[in-house]
């Protein structure tokens, strides 16, 4: 654990929440790496790009004006309570 992570982790009230925070950070990094490695084809111009929205990775481009849905990632479930984003 880096010095910065150690300092931040001391602000959490439980080890479980630290692990969930770390999982969120890991998921964000993986999403960004995947997005950077993706090279859109010519047919995808005008599409909304894949992105990390702060909670979840939207790994597919989408047409403008379309609502996309996917399950919530595991790091959103605090104390096994089902989140409203479901």
């Amino acid at each position: 654990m880096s010095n910065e992570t150690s300092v931040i982790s001391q602000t959490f009230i439980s080890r479980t929440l630290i692990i969930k925070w770390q999982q969120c950070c890991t998921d964000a990094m993986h999403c960004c790496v995947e997005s950077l490695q993706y090279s859109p084809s010519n047919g995808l111009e005008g599409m909304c790009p894949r992105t990390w929205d702060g909670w979840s990775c939207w790994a597919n481009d989408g047409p403008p004006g379309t609502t996309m849905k996917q399950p919530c990632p595991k790091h959103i479930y605090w104390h096994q309570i089902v989140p409203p984003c479901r």
Side-chain angles (χ1 to χ4, degrees), residues 68-81:
M68 298 178 74
K69 297 179 183 180
Q70 68 183 14
C72 293
K74 290 181 180 178
H75 63 262
I76 291 180
Y77 291 85
W78 305 99
H79 305 292
Q80 305 305 321
I81 297 170

Side-chain angles (χ1 to χ4, degrees), residues 38-55:
Y38 174 74
S39 177
S41 66
N42 291 336
L44 294 178
E45 286 186 32
M47 299 287 275
C48 297
R50 55 193 64 212
T51 190
W52 172 260
D53 68 3
W55 288 104

Side-chain angles (χ1 to χ4, degrees), residues 16-46:
T16 301
L17 296 178
I18 293 169
I19 292 168
K20 290 191 178 284
W21 169 68
Q22 289 173 327
Q23 184 61 52
C24 179
C25 294
T26 300
D27 289 351
M29 287 188 301
H30 287 292
C31 183
C32 290
V33 167
E34 287 178 20
S35 293
L36 290 171
Q37 292 175 348
Y38 174 74
S39 177
S41 66
N42 291 336
L44 294 178
E45 286 186 32

